[in-house]
Amino acid sequence: MDPAENLIAIACIIFNWPEGNHRICIDLGLLDGDGAHPQAAGRTLFPSGRFQDDILPSDDLQVDIFGRYITFQSSRRSTVYGGFNEENEEQWCLQIWDWRQSTTSSFVISDTIINPEDGESFDYCFLGNNRLLTVGKDLKLYSIENLSRAPQLLACFLMPVSVTSIESLIPMDDDIMPGSRLQMQAQRPMWTSDPKNRLLSLVARIQSATSKSFTFVISTRIFFDLQVSVFEGMEVIPWKCWGPLNARIFPHDLRCRVGVCGNRVLHTFPATGATADDEDPSDDTDYKLYMMDFSPSAVAHRQGLGRVVTEPSIIETTESAETLTSSLPYVVVVSDRTFDPDQLMDIWVDKDRIYLPKPNTEDPDSVGYLRLR
């Protein structure tokens, strides 16, 4: 449902038992009444033939509305047998409609993960009205200006080293709209923003002897600067060409929490007495909140608040001393107080508040907040 559009979308699987086949359709309606939506191209959306034929009733299916777009995705995990080898795989498909323009679409994206890790899956988000970013082992950027034809891959941004799984954190924003698997914010911000100057965050588990995890904070402007000379003629862009100047990498332990809002990232790090490199910190480890603002204006005009960080940071990713360097400038403010893990079971951040779960024996679902200044 999308109350702002007064729209409800319902995905249906219709079985034809004698023939043993099925078809899929998405019915559109009004939230506040009956009949067709006055802005919709039609009452029913129909997936493309090959997308519909690949769907099984047992698949994980999801329909979502993001402004002018409706998405329908399926995910299926299965075991593939080949000779003496047995492999698990996850197949993921996504189809997109501009529901105001057409009831059909040929825009279908699909991918497969071989032997997926726990929690590993594909994600996606809209960057404005004409670009889509998918998140997997690498980041793939597509043009969505014409949904009546096959997706146009603009570029593939390679992630550094071997990433085994990624958790995507993207703000709920009018211009950066996350897919259904992405972590949502506590409430929808009431302002608009430029999708060329926002942030996304990836929590990545990197293949190494210690299976370390890291937070990648990435400026979305890199997905709009494909005409720069260093990228000219490149569809596959190595990390060294795009990452160091447009990202920051931080250690991430199992109890760290991350929130993203606009140009700000809220990250929890162990306080004094523990290190951010601890993969499994003790239960009595306390944490501090780090609010990082990556907007160029904050870096240039911090007005005495926080500390400006412009020097490169170097992260060691493996026991063989392999390192990654990143240098996206930011301003950081560290909380005076510390928090125990029970106070940081989750966090959300919007324009001027930080939301934390508030343990309450009378109301276990209560949420407290800290005001940002």
Side-chain angles (χ1 to χ4, degrees):
M1 297 184 292
D2 188 339
E5 299 287 351
N6 192 25
L7 179 67
I8 183 171
I10 302 174
C12 308
I13 302 179
I14 302 172
F15 298 96
N16 189 337
W17 293 112
E19 284 76 17
N21 56 21
H22 62 275
R23 63 186 180 90
I24 298 169
C25 62
I26 299 175
D27 287 337
L28 306 181
L30 293 167
L31 274 176
D32 62 0
D34 298 325
H37 195 289
Q39 294 179 303
R43 185 64 185 263
T44 304
L45 304 180
F46 299 96
S48 69
R50 73 178 181 88
F51 183 79
Q52 181 163 256
D53 293 341
D54 289 340
I55 298 295
L56 295 177
S58 58
D59 290 349
D60 181 11
L61 308 176
Q62 180 96 20
V63 60
D64 290 291
I65 307 171
F66 300 109
R68 61 184 285 191
Y69 299 116
I70 286 181
T71 65
F72 182 65
Q73 62 175 319
S74 69
S75 179
R76 177 193 314 161
R77 292 207 175 195
S78 58
T79 301
V80 179
Y81 300 94
F84 296 100
N85 297 323
E86 177 180 315
E87 290 183 334
N88 296 317
E89 67 177 28
E90 179 176 348
Q91 297 174 314
W92 178 80
C93 288
L94 175 73
Q95 179 155 6
I96 305 174
W97 294 262
D98 184 335
W99 59 275
R100 298 172 183 169
Q101 300 296 324
S102 177
T103 60
T104 60
S105 172
S106 297
F107 197 96
V108 181
I109 298 174
S110 61
D111 212 332
T112 301
I113 301 176
I114 303 298
N115 293 325
E117 298 284 329
D118 289 339
E120 183 178 11
S121 62
F122 293 98
D123 292 327
Y124 67 95
C125 68
F126 294 95
L127 299 175
N129 286 323
N130 58 9
R131 299 196 176 202
L132 178 83
L133 185 72
T134 63
V135 179
K137 292 294 181 68
D138 300 305
L139 311 180
K140 295 181 180 179
L141 183 66
Y142 295 88
S143 169
I144 53 174
E145 291 181 330
N146 188 348
L147 297 182
S148 65
R149 64 185 185 188
Q152 178 188 357
L153 178 65
L154 299 178
C156 176
F157 295 83
L158 299 183
M159 291 291 289
V161 299
S162 177
V163 177
T164 60
S165 62
I166 290 180
E167 175 188 1
S168 305
L169 301 164
I170 300 178
M172 175 61 81
D173 186 284
D174 288 335
D175 293 309
I176 301 182
M177 297 176 289
S180 61
R181 293 179 183 271
L182 304 184
Q183 186 179 92
M184 302 298 183
Q185 296 301 309
Q187 64 183 38
R188 186 181 182 90
M190 295 181 292
W191 73 94
T192 58
S193 55
D194 182 358
K196 296 182 182 180
N197 290 288
R198 315 308 284 168
L199 297 172
L200 63 86
S201 178
L202 310 176
V203 178
R205 183 175 296 275
I206 294 177
Q207 182 63 53
S208 67
T210 56
S211 298
K212 292 184 176 181
S213 295
F214 300 94
T215 300
F216 289 74
V217 176
I218 300 170
S219 171
T220 57
R221 67 171 178 247
I222 192 62
F223 306 119
F224 295 86
D225 294 340
L226 299 181
Q227 303 305 316
V228 295
S229 58
V230 69
F231 295 162
E232 189 171 354
M234 299 175 62
E235 284 192 358
V236 178
I237 304 175
W239 163 263
K240 65 180 181 181
C241 294
W242 72 272
L245 296 179
N246 296 279
R248 279 283 179 170
I249 308 174
F250 304 98
H252 186 95
D253 71 40
L254 293 176
R255 293 193 179 92
C256 280
R257 300 292 180 261
V258 184
V260 186
C261 181
N263 282 300
R264 290 177 169 181
V265 173
L266 179 67
H267 203 305
T268 63
F269 290 108
T272 303
T275 69
D277 290 322
D278 289 339
E279 185 66 19
D280 188 12
S282 62
D283 291 338
D284 58 357
T285 298
D286 288 330
Y287 289 80
K288 286 194 172 185
L289 301 179
Y290 285 62
M291 176 58 75
M292 296 172 281
D293 195 325
F294 289 83
S295 65
S297 60
V299 173
H301 310 290
R302 68 183 179 94
Q303 299 179 342
L305 298 175
R307 179 175 65 91
V308 177
V309 180
T310 57
E311 64 272 14
S313 58
I314 300 175
I315 295 291
E316 185 174 302
T317 63
T318 66
E319 292 182 346
S320 60
E322 184 177 1
T323 60
L324 292 174
T325 300
S326 56
S327 57
L328 184 65
Y330 64 97
V331 176
V332 60
V333 178
V334 183
S335 63
D336 294 331
R337 59 178 289 193
T338 59
F339 300 83
D340 63 48
D342 290 339
Q343 294 174 299
L344 298 175
M345 296 178 65
D346 209 341
I347 59 174
W348 303 272
V349 58
D350 66 14
K351 190 174 183 180
D352 60 1
R353 290 178 178 178
I354 297 169
Y355 295 84
L356 305 174
K358 183 180 179 181
N360 187 322
T361 56
E362 297 180 359
D363 183 6
D365 295 327
S366 63
V367 174
Y369 69 85
L370 304 175
R371 184 178 297 276
L372 301 179
R373 293 185 296 174

